Amino acid sequence: MLSKLNPVLTITILLFLPCSVLCNICSLSFCQCEDSDVSCQGEGMEVLDMSSSSLPSSINILKLSNLGSVTIKTNTFSGQENLKEINLVTIEKVVLKKFSYSTSKVSTNMTHFKIENIRHFSLETGHSLDNLPWSSLVVFKKVGMEVGLKY
């Protein structure tokens, strides 16, 4: 079907498909994966649906900034024993699904968990942040929250 479309339209459609449909996060043009650090810097329109299959097997730092939308699905960080830092900065909309970090308790700790300059921050349920590891620095700054959690 895509082969019959105008090439510009095809590229536009592909740009707006979520990462989970297309690829691993490291293959996205606006993301860089070096050693065990993942950094995605967009132009304010990119849509990123994250799951455990979209991440490398072991990361230390995850930095997402200047994106249109980020959805973190259930169990996204399961098995990420070395993850020490998560930064979500300047994103239009962030959605955390139920048990977004992990469905089971983790024994590791993080050093930084930062959510800053998020226009619409939504927790799908009251359990969206369950099993998030203890962190020595937690920052929620300029975050627009949506209300109405489901338990």
Side-chain angles (χ1 to χ4, degrees):
M1 178 183 148
L2 289 178
S3 62
K4 295 180 183 180
L5 295 174
N6 176 316
V8 173
L9 180 59
T10 302
I11 290 170
T12 303
I13 290 170
L14 292 175
L15 285 174
F16 287 101
L17 284 175
C19 176
S20 60
V21 172
L22 291 176
C23 57
N24 178 292
I25 197 169
C26 296
S27 65
L28 294 170
S29 63
F30 57 94
C31 294
Q32 293 182 345
C33 297
E34 296 181 16
D35 299 321
S36 54
D37 296 350
V38 176
S39 177
C40 298
Q41 169 76 39
E43 295 180 4
M45 299 179 301
E46 294 79 4
V47 175
L48 186 59
D49 280 351
M50 295 181 60
S51 67
S52 59
S53 64
S54 63
L55 293 173
S57 59
S58 180
I59 60 175
N60 290 337
I61 298 172
L62 175 66
K63 294 181 180 181
L64 306 177
S65 61
N66 202 29
L67 301 173
S69 175
V70 173
T71 300
I72 301 178
K73 296 181 177 181
T74 299
N75 220 26
T76 293
F77 301 104
S78 177
Q80 293 290 346
E81 317 279 318
N82 299 319
L83 184 58
K84 297 297 179 197
E85 190 174 322
I86 296 176
N87 294 293
L88 306 175
V89 179
T90 313
I91 301 170
E92 180 70 20
K93 182 177 183 179
V94 173
V95 177
L96 300 183
K97 298 293 187 176
K98 185 176 185 178
F99 299 109
S100 60
Y101 193 88
S102 178
T103 54
S104 57
K105 292 188 187 279
V106 293
S107 59
T108 60
N109 293 327
M110 289 196 305
T111 56
H112 294 82
F113 182 74
K114 180 178 178 182
I115 308 255
E116 182 176 348
N117 199 20
I118 309 297
R119 188 167 201 178
H120 302 284
F121 183 75
S122 176
L123 302 173
E124 181 183 63
T125 74
H127 299 288
S128 294
L129 291 172
D130 283 10
N131 300 321
L132 181 72
W134 181 87
S135 180
S136 54
L137 178 66
V138 177
V139 175
F140 275 75
K141 183 177 180 184
K142 293 186 178 180
V143 176
M145 298 285 291
E146 294 183 19
V147 295
L149 298 177
K150 297 178 249 171
Y151 284 91

